[in-house]
Amino acid sequence: MQQGRHWLIGAPVSYYTAKVRAYLRYKRIPFFEVPATREIYRDVIVPRTGVRFIPVLISAQDVAVQDSAAIIDHLEAHYAFPRVEPLGPIGQLLAALLETYADEWLLLPAMHYRWNVPENRAYAMEEFGRLSLPTGTLAEQRELGELLAAPFAGSLPALGVHPTTAPAIEQSYQELLGELSAHFARHSYLLGERPCRGDFALFGPLYAHLYRDPASGRLMRELAPRVADWVERMREPEASSAPAESAGYESWPQTLEPILARMFRELGPVLQSTLARLAEAQPSADGFLPRTLGWHSFSLGDVSAERAVFPFNAYRFQRAHDHYTRLEPHERERADTLFARVGGLPLMRTPLPFRLLRIDNRLKLAAAAASSAHGVALH
Ligand SMILES: N[C@@H](CCC(=O)N[C@@H](CS)C(=O)NCC(=O)O)C(=O)O
């Protein structure tokens, strides 16, 4: 990969690659996309990042960055315009919350529909094979696709996708489509007339899985054509001169409230419990956290089930929480009015008794700064 250019290593089937690709296109940042073949994993991804995740950005300065949010942050430092961060602090907080919801929670419907609907599953396996072995025969690609897809399909129980939760996951997703349809009837993007990081994040599951996978794509177009239109808009988002928060409402559109309420109802307790688990976690000898910290129960609709505890869920939320704790008192009051309406106050007011740091693409726990370490009330 030649220096002086940005290279995005990823895949058309990949959730978080879609997020970064839409961001790069919106910013009009020139880049080349490289499919994550077996050779690219062996020669670039693993040696440069130490982990096996996509997307990876190899920047024009030859810096290797993994994690979709870290890639966006890295590029934002070099390309200020068009802005993707909302102007106001509450807008920034909401964008980070929506990013957390899209990155961490919409994995459930995205993975459920991909791996439990036979038509989607067959399509995804072929796509995995084509990506990894572009010059192989169809039979070779299918065989390899099946092998490579196994760990992804096998991750469903850890995410909380079980036969018992599948109906609730479908119901929640279809209700979300209704809420998004109502929102996109009035606004082009989540926070108004210009995409924010929440839009890019939401594009990950809604495009790479739930629009591209054939059976899911039909479902979206049938149930929520306006959401499908937003997906199309996000594929090549136009740089707009409109402020990220449009005038006429107090930094957030009202039609966002049911979506925030859903997020706090479904993901809120999972985050609370993850924070509590982290507060008790014993660091390993090297100080890094494992990818999962045991299991906990969660509820969706009327069902309860088990899922793994993912420290990364809390890491993504930490950015939103930081925005919240930095609000000036008059802004805090406005944000609290909103959070009280959408059921988010207990979570937002939970102090984080630690900092999660991301070092060498792995998470580490550090003590909270003295000023914010006011008691551990994690219930
Ligand atoms: N937090 C990471 C997540 C990246 C991620 O999970 N990527 C998927 C593909 S879309 C992957 O590489 N998974 C490999 C694995 O789960 O081991 C990001 O935002 O980039």
Short mmCIF file of all heavy atoms in Angstrom, two decimals, residues 14-17 19 41 52-55 66-69 103-104 152 291 312 316, ligand 1:
data_model
loop_
_atom_site.label_atom_id
_atom_site.label_comp_id
_atom_site.label_asym_id
_atom_site.label_seq_id
_atom_site.Cartn_x
_atom_site.Cartn_y
_atom_site.Cartn_z
N SER A 14 -19.36 -5.73 5.92
CA SER A 14 -18.98 -5.36 7.29
C SER A 14 -19.67 -4.09 7.79
O SER A 14 -19.65 -3.04 7.15
CB SER A 14 -17.46 -5.22 7.37
OG SER A 14 -17.08 -4.26 8.30
N TYR A 15 -20.29 -4.27 8.93
CA TYR A 15 -21.04 -3.25 9.67
C TYR A 15 -20.21 -1.97 9.84
O TYR A 15 -20.59 -0.88 9.42
CB TYR A 15 -21.25 -3.93 11.02
CG TYR A 15 -22.25 -3.53 12.03
CD1 TYR A 15 -23.26 -4.42 12.41
CD2 TYR A 15 -22.17 -2.33 12.71
CE1 TYR A 15 -24.14 -4.14 13.44
CE2 TYR A 15 -23.05 -2.03 13.74
CZ TYR A 15 -24.03 -2.94 14.11
OH TYR A 15 -24.89 -2.67 15.12
N TYR A 16 -19.03 -2.12 10.48
CA TYR A 16 -18.28 -0.92 10.86
C TYR A 16 -17.48 -0.35 9.69
O TYR A 16 -17.13 0.83 9.71
CB TYR A 16 -17.37 -1.24 12.06
CG TYR A 16 -18.14 -1.79 13.23
CD1 TYR A 16 -18.23 -3.16 13.45
CD2 TYR A 16 -18.83 -0.94 14.09
CE1 TYR A 16 -18.96 -3.68 14.50
CE2 TYR A 16 -19.57 -1.45 15.16
CZ TYR A 16 -19.64 -2.83 15.36
OH TYR A 16 -20.38 -3.33 16.40
N THR A 17 -17.24 -1.17 8.66
CA THR A 17 -16.62 -0.61 7.45
C THR A 17 -17.61 0.35 6.79
O THR A 17 -17.22 1.43 6.30
CB THR A 17 -16.23 -1.73 6.45
OG1 THR A 17 -15.38 -2.66 7.09
CG2 THR A 17 -15.54 -1.16 5.23
N LYS A 19 -19.80 2.17 8.15
CA LYS A 19 -19.83 3.42 8.92
C LYS A 19 -18.69 4.35 8.48
O LYS A 19 -18.91 5.53 8.18
CB LYS A 19 -19.69 3.06 10.41
CG LYS A 19 -19.50 4.20 11.37
CD LYS A 19 -19.35 3.65 12.80
CE LYS A 19 -18.95 4.71 13.80
NZ LYS A 19 -18.69 4.13 15.15
N TYR A 41 -5.18 -9.85 6.02
CA TYR A 41 -5.19 -10.10 7.48
C TYR A 41 -3.78 -10.48 7.94
O TYR A 41 -3.26 -9.96 8.93
CB TYR A 41 -6.15 -11.25 7.84
CG TYR A 41 -7.56 -10.79 8.15
CD1 TYR A 41 -8.56 -10.84 7.19
CD2 TYR A 41 -7.88 -10.28 9.40
CE1 TYR A 41 -9.86 -10.41 7.47
CE2 TYR A 41 -9.16 -9.85 9.70
CZ TYR A 41 -10.15 -9.92 8.72
OH TYR A 41 -11.42 -9.48 9.01
N ARG A 52 -7.70 -8.81 15.11
CA ARG A 52 -8.25 -9.25 13.82
C ARG A 52 -9.60 -8.58 13.56
O ARG A 52 -10.58 -9.24 13.29
CB ARG A 52 -8.43 -10.78 13.83
CG ARG A 52 -7.15 -11.56 14.06
CD ARG A 52 -7.40 -13.06 13.94
NE ARG A 52 -7.92 -13.41 12.63
CZ ARG A 52 -7.16 -13.65 11.56
NH1 ARG A 52 -5.87 -13.62 11.66
NH2 ARG A 52 -7.72 -13.94 10.41
N PHE A 53 -9.63 -7.27 13.70
CA PHE A 53 -10.87 -6.55 13.43
C PHE A 53 -10.75 -5.71 12.17
O PHE A 53 -9.67 -5.18 11.87
CB PHE A 53 -11.20 -5.58 14.58
CG PHE A 53 -11.66 -6.25 15.83
CD1 PHE A 53 -10.84 -6.31 16.95
CD2 PHE A 53 -12.92 -6.82 15.91
CE1 PHE A 53 -11.27 -6.92 18.12
CE2 PHE A 53 -13.36 -7.43 17.08
CZ PHE A 53 -12.52 -7.48 18.18
N ILE A 54 -11.88 -5.55 11.48
CA ILE A 54 -11.98 -4.54 10.43
C ILE A 54 -13.09 -3.58 10.85
O ILE A 54 -13.98 -3.98 11.60
CB ILE A 54 -12.26 -5.15 9.04
CG1 ILE A 54 -13.48 -6.09 9.07
CG2 ILE A 54 -11.04 -5.84 8.49
CD1 ILE A 54 -13.95 -6.54 7.70
N PRO A 55 -13.06 -2.34 10.40
CA PRO A 55 -12.14 -1.75 9.44
C PRO A 55 -10.81 -1.34 10.08
O PRO A 55 -10.72 -1.12 11.29
CB PRO A 55 -12.89 -0.50 8.97
CG PRO A 55 -13.66 -0.09 10.19
CD PRO A 55 -14.08 -1.37 10.84
N GLN A 66 -7.37 1.16 14.07
CA GLN A 66 -8.54 0.28 14.11
C GLN A 66 -9.56 0.91 15.03
O GLN A 66 -9.20 1.66 15.93
CB GLN A 66 -8.17 -1.13 14.61
CG GLN A 66 -9.20 -2.22 14.21
CD GLN A 66 -10.58 -2.06 14.83
OE1 GLN A 66 -10.72 -2.01 16.04
NE2 GLN A 66 -11.60 -1.99 13.99
N ASP A 67 -10.79 0.56 14.78
CA ASP A 67 -11.98 1.01 15.49
C ASP A 67 -12.57 2.18 14.73
O ASP A 67 -11.92 3.20 14.49
CB ASP A 67 -11.74 1.40 16.95
CG ASP A 67 -13.05 1.77 17.62
OD1 ASP A 67 -13.97 0.95 17.56
OD2 ASP A 67 -13.19 2.90 18.11
N SER A 68 -13.85 1.98 14.38
CA SER A 68 -14.51 2.96 13.52
C SER A 68 -14.53 4.36 14.15
O SER A 68 -14.29 5.35 13.45
CB SER A 68 -15.93 2.49 13.22
OG SER A 68 -16.62 2.23 14.43
N ALA A 69 -14.75 4.44 15.46
CA ALA A 69 -14.79 5.78 16.08
C ALA A 69 -13.39 6.39 16.13
O ALA A 69 -13.22 7.59 15.93
CB ALA A 69 -15.38 5.69 17.48
N ASP A 103 -23.73 1.21 17.33
CA ASP A 103 -22.56 0.33 17.29
C ASP A 103 -22.76 -0.90 18.16
O ASP A 103 -22.34 -2.00 17.80
CB ASP A 103 -21.32 1.06 17.86
CG ASP A 103 -20.63 1.93 16.83
OD1 ASP A 103 -21.09 2.01 15.69
OD2 ASP A 103 -19.59 2.53 17.18
N GLU A 104 -23.33 -0.70 19.33
CA GLU A 104 -23.31 -1.78 20.32
C GLU A 104 -24.61 -2.57 20.43
O GLU A 104 -24.58 -3.73 20.78
CB GLU A 104 -22.93 -1.22 21.70
CG GLU A 104 -21.63 -0.42 21.71
CD GLU A 104 -20.43 -1.20 21.17
OE1 GLU A 104 -20.28 -2.38 21.53
OE2 GLU A 104 -19.67 -0.64 20.35
N PHE A 152 -18.70 -15.85 13.38
CA PHE A 152 -19.69 -14.76 13.44
C PHE A 152 -21.06 -15.33 13.80
O PHE A 152 -21.72 -14.85 14.70
CB PHE A 152 -19.75 -14.02 12.10
CG PHE A 152 -18.52 -13.18 11.85
CD1 PHE A 152 -17.42 -13.70 11.20
CD2 PHE A 152 -18.46 -11.87 12.29
CE1 PHE A 152 -16.28 -12.94 10.99
CE2 PHE A 152 -17.33 -11.09 12.09
CZ PHE A 152 -16.23 -11.63 11.44
N ARG A 291 -12.07 -9.70 26.35
CA ARG A 291 -13.15 -9.19 25.49
C ARG A 291 -14.50 -9.31 26.17
O ARG A 291 -15.37 -8.47 25.99
CB ARG A 291 -13.14 -9.96 24.17
CG ARG A 291 -13.98 -9.32 23.13
CD ARG A 291 -13.66 -9.87 21.77
NE ARG A 291 -14.59 -9.35 20.80
CZ ARG A 291 -14.72 -9.82 19.58
NH1 ARG A 291 -13.97 -10.82 19.17
NH2 ARG A 291 -15.60 -9.30 18.75
N PHE A 312 -16.40 -3.42 26.02
CA PHE A 312 -16.39 -2.43 24.94
C PHE A 312 -17.69 -1.63 24.90
O PHE A 312 -17.69 -0.44 24.54
CB PHE A 312 -16.13 -3.10 23.57
CG PHE A 312 -15.71 -2.09 22.55
CD1 PHE A 312 -14.37 -1.81 22.34
CD2 PHE A 312 -16.65 -1.37 21.82
CE1 PHE A 312 -13.97 -0.84 21.43
CE2 PHE A 312 -16.27 -0.40 20.92
CZ PHE A 312 -14.92 -0.13 20.71
N ARG A 316 -17.66 2.51 24.61
CA ARG A 316 -18.34 3.37 23.63
C ARG A 316 -19.23 4.39 24.35
O ARG A 316 -19.34 5.54 23.95
CB ARG A 316 -19.14 2.50 22.66
CG ARG A 316 -19.54 3.16 21.40
CD ARG A 316 -18.39 3.78 20.58
NE ARG A 316 -18.04 3.05 19.41
CZ ARG A 316 -16.79 2.80 19.03
NH1 ARG A 316 -15.76 3.23 19.75
NH2 ARG A 316 -16.55 2.13 17.93
N1 LIG B 1 -15.42 -1.47 17.71
C1 LIG B 1 -14.93 -1.93 16.43
C2 LIG B 1 -15.64 -3.22 16.04
C3 LIG B 1 -15.10 -3.81 14.79
C4 LIG B 1 -15.72 -5.16 14.49
O1 LIG B 1 -16.30 -5.84 15.36
N2 LIG B 1 -15.61 -5.52 13.21
C5 LIG B 1 -16.09 -6.82 12.80
C6 LIG B 1 -16.44 -6.82 11.33
S1 LIG B 1 -17.75 -5.66 10.97
C7 LIG B 1 -14.95 -7.79 13.01
O2 LIG B 1 -13.88 -7.62 12.46
N3 LIG B 1 -15.17 -8.80 13.84
C8 LIG B 1 -14.18 -9.78 14.13
C9 LIG B 1 -14.45 -10.40 15.45
O3 LIG B 1 -15.53 -10.13 16.02
O4 LIG B 1 -13.59 -11.15 15.94
C10 LIG B 1 -15.15 -0.83 15.39
O5 LIG B 1 -16.02 0.03 15.60
O6 LIG B 1 -14.41 -0.79 14.42
#
